[in-house]
């Protein structure tokens, strides 16, 4: 009798284990974030090339390249009178996107200098400060492969109110780029510090309502930092 009871218990426990193994888990891990590749900006780059077909390219110009902070710099030509400029900023782009398209938005112009801004979108998407620095290194190497010794300036990643939580990473990324720039004949243009208030927080009056993009006052600070470098070329 005891042997029969024990055997019945073993059968019951085995059935429970089988049922548990076949029951799908309700706590599945979320899928990893999808990181869009650079090809998503093909339409923007094609539009630049179409404009090039209508307007003769200007060798010896200064190319401003990077994310939406460059694209939306509508006063660029007025801010640097007498300087031949080409704006090749495209919204939402990351550092590596400018590298991906460098042969189409930098090299064809044979510029006398490049002013670069990107990085905050990268950090917002989860890139580390070290990766941002390494991505910028790749950009420098790519454009200087076509034009050895090309003067390049990196505008520091700005402190945006809407992304204030990222400030520690912004500071680290800027510091890493600055250290690299010092040893590789790249200009580091510090707009980060002038855009902070006395408490070390982003100055909201320098931004439009989204707390991410600059208004005229914000671009005035950028102009004041970039102009001396351009004048010294």
């Amino acid at each position: 009798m005891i042997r029969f009871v024990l055997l019945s218990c073993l059968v019951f426990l085995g059935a429970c284990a089988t049922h548990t193994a076949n029951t799908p888990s309700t706590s599945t891990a979320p899928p990893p974030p999808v990181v869009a590749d650079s090809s998503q900006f093909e339409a923007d780059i094609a539009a630049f090339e179409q404009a090039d077909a209508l307007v003769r390219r200007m060798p010896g110009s200064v190319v401003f390249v990077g994310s939406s902070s460059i694209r939306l710099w509508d006063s660029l030509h007025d801010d640097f009178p007498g300087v031949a400029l080409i704006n090749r900023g495209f919204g939402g782009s990351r550092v590596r996107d400018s590298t991906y398209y460098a042969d189409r938005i930098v090299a064809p112009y044979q510029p006398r200098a490049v002013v670069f801004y990107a990085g905050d979108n990268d950090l917002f998407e989860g890139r580390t400060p070290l990766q941002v620095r390494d991505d910028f290194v790749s950009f420098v190497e790519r454009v200087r492969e076509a034009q050895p010794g090309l003067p390049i300036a990196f505008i520091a990643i700005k402190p945006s109110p809407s992304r204030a939580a990222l400030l520690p990473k912004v500071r680290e990324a800027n510091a890493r780029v600055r250290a690299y720039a010092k040893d590789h004949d790249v200009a580091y243009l510090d707009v980060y510090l002038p855009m902070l208030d006395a408490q070390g927080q982003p100055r909201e009056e320098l931004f439009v309502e989204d707390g991410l993009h600059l208004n005229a006052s914000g671009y005035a600070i950028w102009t004041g930092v970039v102009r001396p470098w351009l004048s010294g070329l």
Side-chain angles (χ1 to χ4, degrees):
M1 182 64 180
I2 294 176
R3 190 177 303 171
F4 175 79
V5 171
L6 290 174
L7 182 59
S8 300
C9 289
L10 289 174
V11 171
F12 175 78
L13 291 174
C16 289
T18 300
H19 175 74
T20 301
N22 292 332
T23 302
S25 173
T26 58
S27 58
T28 57
V34 177
V35 178
D37 63 64
S38 298
S39 63
Q40 66 175 305
F41 300 104
E42 177 61 32
D44 297 277
I45 306 308
F48 291 149
E49 293 175 326
Q50 184 177 10
D52 292 338
L54 300 174
V55 180
R56 188 167 63 89
R57 293 181 178 180
M58 301 178 292
S61 299
V62 177
V63 174
F64 281 67
V65 65
S67 61
S68 57
S69 292
I70 295 295
R71 181 180 68 84
L72 297 172
W73 199 339
D74 296 331
S75 62
L76 192 63
H77 293 276
D78 294 331
D79 292 339
F80 303 98
V83 180
L85 303 175
I86 299 174
N87 188 324
R88 287 298 175 258
F90 47 114
S93 63
R94 294 75 48 99
V95 176
R96 63 187 183 275
D97 300 317
S98 290
T99 305
Y100 183 83
Y101 290 111
D103 293 343
R104 297 167 65 184
I105 61 174
V106 178
Y109 303 106
Q110 299 177 342
R112 69 183 180 98
V114 172
V115 178
F116 181 93
Y117 180 81
D120 48 2
N121 290 332
D122 309 57
L123 296 174
F124 182 71
E125 290 185 3
R127 298 288 280 180
T128 67
L130 179 58
Q131 287 174 319
V132 170
R133 191 280 311 275
D134 289 347
D135 289 343
F136 179 64
V137 171
S138 295
F139 174 81
V140 173
E141 293 175 346
R142 183 70 172 272
V143 298
R144 283 184 172 167
E145 183 178 352
Q147 277 185 261
L150 178 65
I152 300 171
F154 178 89
I155 298 178
I157 302 172
K158 67 184 185 301
S160 302
S162 64
R163 294 178 176 175
L166 292 175
L167 288 184
K169 292 184 178 181
V170 170
R171 287 193 294 269
E172 182 183 346
N174 282 338
R176 289 184 178 276
V177 172
R178 186 171 199 163
Y180 163 77
K182 182 179 179 181
D183 295 329
H184 292 82
D185 196 23
V186 172
Y188 174 85
L189 305 181
D190 189 4
V191 300
Y192 179 85
L193 287 178
M195 298 183 72
L196 297 176
D197 62 20
Q199 288 71 45
Q201 295 301 309
R203 294 170 55 188
E204 295 187 4
E205 73 272 16
L206 303 177
F207 295 81
V208 297
E209 291 183 0
D210 65 4
L212 178 62
H213 297 102
L214 302 175
N215 58 25
S217 298
Y219 281 118
I221 289 179
W222 283 32
T223 300
V225 174
V226 175
R227 183 183 289 129
W229 182 74
L230 285 182
S231 299
L233 292 177

